[in-house]
Amino acid sequence: MIRRKIKLDLDNKLNELKINLENNYKDLAHDALKELQGALEEYKESGELKEKDYRKYRQLTDTYAMRMQNYHH
């Protein structure tokens, strides 16, 4: 099971991404996605995030990355 601190951190970053997308803040949404992806990889490499949880969040980030693929100025 994922630790509460890690889950809160990842969920907060995911929520920030969603809010930025809803408000059409494209640059901030891209930054939030990069931050979420970085945190996800960091937790996985440190062993704090199990493979099952990593795959769950990775699938979410991949979905958002595809959705944001054509977001440009």
Side-chain angles (χ1 to χ4, degrees):
M1 179 142 172
I2 190 170
R3 288 181 35 202
R4 179 169 161 67
K5 176 185 148 203
I6 295 170
K7 182 173 178 12
L8 281 175
D9 184 42
L10 292 175
D11 286 345
N12 285 338
K13 290 179 187 331
L14 184 59
N15 191 44
E16 181 182 347
L17 171 61
K18 289 177 184 178
I19 289 170
N20 288 328
L21 285 173
E22 288 170 2
N23 291 320
N24 206 26
Y25 299 144
K26 295 176 183 178
D27 289 339
L28 293 175
H30 276 287
D31 292 344
L33 178 62
K34 287 178 187 175
E35 191 175 320
L36 176 60
Q37 289 171 328
L40 189 59
E41 294 302 323
E42 188 176 308
Y43 286 134
K44 182 180 185 274
E45 288 175 14
S46 70
E48 295 180 89
L49 191 63
K50 293 188 168 112
E51 185 66 29
K52 174 186 166 190
D53 298 315
Y54 171 78
R55 283 190 307 239
K56 174 187 158 191
Y57 280 97
R58 186 62 205 209
Q59 184 177 18
L60 284 171
T61 59
D62 289 347
T63 300
Y64 279 106
M66 286 185 71
R67 180 176 164 191
M68 296 169 55
Q69 201 169 23
N70 295 321
Y71 282 14
H72 302 289
H73 279 285

